[in-house]
Amino acid sequence: MFSPKAQRLLNGESFVSREPGNSMVPKIYSRQPVLLTPANWSEVQKGDIVYCKVRGNFYTHLVLAINPDRGCLIGNNKGRVNGWTKNVHGKVKEVLPMDYAG
């Protein structure tokens, strides 16, 4: 099952999202707008921020490593590792200012 955001990305749509939480500070602050664009795990690189599913949960997190067999190792910006996934649906193309109104 896909989240509504994952479904939009799978449909080829780019959009602005505001993810809650502080696990990506200072790269992204809680509810800071980001532009998500469609991407899959084979298109991203270490250091990219992606929208993905790991063990049933959807995250906007960092790609810590890439492995051709396992996919992307995903973690936050505080040192937590969430695990390996090939369920990458999108990538943060741009972190927008907090006062972004669009």
Side-chain angles (χ1 to χ4, degrees):
M1 179 170 224
F2 294 115
S3 75
K5 290 178 185 178
Q7 189 60 58
R8 289 175 72 183
L9 291 163
L10 287 169
N11 291 341
E13 185 180 343
S14 295
F15 56 92
V16 174
S17 177
R18 294 175 183 263
E19 302 294 319
N22 293 307
S23 65
M24 289 297 292
V25 171
K27 291 182 181 289
I28 303 172
Y29 290 87
S30 184
R31 302 214 180 269
Q32 182 167 11
V34 295
L35 177 61
L36 290 176
T37 60
N40 66 52
W41 77 270
S42 65
E43 300 170 330
V44 300
Q45 301 175 11
K46 181 179 175 182
D48 284 346
I49 302 171
V50 296
Y51 185 77
C52 61
K53 185 176 183 179
V54 181
R55 287 189 226 110
N57 296 305
F58 286 89
Y59 298 102
T60 303
H61 272 1
L62 287 172
V63 175
L64 302 174
I66 304 280
N67 178 291
D69 296 322
R70 300 178 82 183
C72 299
L73 182 62
I74 302 301
N76 66 25
N77 202 38
K78 305 284 186 185
R80 175 163 164 85
V81 176
N82 295 88
W84 291 95
T85 187
K86 289 186 177 181
N87 293 315
V88 173
H89 304 293
K91 170 178 164 171
V92 173
K93 184 170 182 169
E94 184 179 358
V95 177
L96 301 165
M98 288 297 280
D99 61 354
Y100 177 81

